[in-house]
Structure formats: C-alpha cells, structure tokens
Amino acid sequence: MKRDVLSDEDYDEVCRVVGDAVIVLAESGHETQRADIARLLTRTRQQRAHDERDEQRMLEHAIRLVKP
C-alpha cells in the first residue's frame, strides 16, 4: 500500500495502530516481524467485526501496510 492512498491524518492513525500492535507483541514476548504483526491485526479486525467502520478501515489499511 502506498502512503499517498491515505490522508496524512489516516496515515498517522494507521502508524499508531501498527505501533500498538508491535508493543502488544513485544510485551507478550512474541516476535515483531511483519507477518506476526499482520496476523495480530487480522485477528483484532475479526474480533472487532462489529465496531465502528472507521476503526475497521484503519485496521484494514494497517494490515495492508505491514503485510509481507
């Protein structure tokens, strides 16, 4: 995914989501490789399927951004 697909505000939010995922994985003693981050974000998106559309959209963008 190219950065120019997102507005600056959305890109900042996607980076925050990815950063949060890295922190959660690291604190749990897991690897923080791209595939691990993408799996965590995918599970989170599935668990939060009924949340706000904006949150779902940010998770989808974050997954595309880090997917190996």
Side-chain angles (χ1 to χ4, degrees):
M1 180 184 80
K2 293 183 179 179
R3 184 196 188 293
D4 60 350
V5 172
L6 298 170
S7 69
D8 287 342
E9 184 178 313
D10 285 349
Y11 184 77
D12 289 346
E13 180 63 15
V14 166
C15 289
R16 186 195 63 76
V17 168
V18 171
D20 287 350
V22 169
I23 291 168
V24 166
L25 287 169
E27 286 179 345
S28 299
H30 298 282
E31 293 292 322
T32 57
Q33 296 176 11
R34 293 174 83 99
D36 300 315
I37 298 166
R39 277 192 295 275
L40 174 62
L41 293 171
T42 300
R43 278 195 315 269
T44 301
R45 186 185 64 190
Q46 291 168 347
Q47 292 169 351
R48 298 181 180 181
H50 302 297
D51 285 358
E52 291 182 27
R53 179 66 191 138
D54 283 343
E55 184 176 329
Q56 289 295 312
R57 188 170 58 86
M58 289 302 115
L59 284 167
E60 290 166 8
H61 284 303
I63 291 164
R64 282 196 296 272
L65 184 68
V66 300
K67 193 179 270 187

